[in-house]
Amino acid sequence: MVPDIEQAMQDFQRAAGAEWSDPVSDRLGEWDYRIVFTAGGPPFIELIEGPPGSPWNASGGARFDHIGFWTSDVRHGSQRLEEASMPVDFSGCPYGRPFAYHQMDSIGARIELVDVTRQASFLNRWHPGGKPMPVIDETPRS
């Protein structure tokens, strides 16, 4: 999470040679935000600039916020994480976006689960022609 997406992109480029796609503006609920991913394929670095009070609030300064994973079923994945003492911090599901952030205190950050149904559109936007990425299988085990 960053208060200035262009500055963060520039700093990452100077520090590590990161190349970036173009930032995109979007809205979720009452929050307008900007998002960008590194170009060139996984692993992706994601920067989000969001307003105070949003799930991406960086008004207190930039911070490492989360690690994202694809899941075969965000609802079952969220339930699994909650049962493992990793509570939901924010869910996009009520807003029609199949993702959820869970607090993982042992790393001081959140884990993001994103439903695999969004992977094709993600790849089309951020990594055209890219191969599918690994997915956590949330199939119930008997």
Side-chain angles (χ1 to χ4, degrees):
M1 302 305 140
V2 298
D4 183 335
I5 205 165
E6 281 82 9
Q7 183 66 55
M9 291 168 63
Q10 199 173 67
D11 289 347
F12 253 113
Q13 197 284 323
R14 284 195 314 263
E19 297 293 326
W20 296 96
S21 299
D22 292 327
V24 172
S25 296
D26 204 349
R27 182 171 185 87
L28 182 70
E30 62 193 66
W31 306 295
D32 292 315
Y33 66 95
R34 295 175 64 212
I35 186 170
V36 67
F37 289 88
T38 48
F44 294 96
I45 298 171
E46 172 187 40
L47 301 175
I48 304 176
E49 179 185 292
S54 74
W56 315 285
N57 177 11
S59 60
R63 70 181 186 280
F64 171 77
D65 185 76
H66 66 272
I67 299 173
F69 294 92
W70 297 103
T71 178
S72 64
D73 186 311
V74 73
R75 188 173 49 87
H76 285 120
S78 282
Q79 181 180 348
R80 177 180 55 79
L81 291 180
E82 284 189 292
E83 290 169 0
S85 299
M86 295 176 220
V88 172
D89 187 61
F90 179 80
S91 177
C93 296
Y95 301 94
R97 305 271 183 92
F99 76 91
Y101 295 122
H102 287 259
Q103 191 59 41
M104 189 173 176
D105 292 336
S106 63
I107 66 167
R110 301 187 288 186
I111 295 295
E112 178 187 25
L113 295 180
V114 182
D115 202 279
V116 70
T117 58
R118 300 282 297 182
Q119 192 176 106
S121 62
F122 175 90
L123 289 169
N124 286 337
R125 172 67 182 99
W126 301 105
H127 189 49
K131 295 180 182 179
M133 293 172 278
V135 176
I136 298 170
D137 182 4
E138 300 295 351
T139 305
R141 290 159 178 82
S142 43

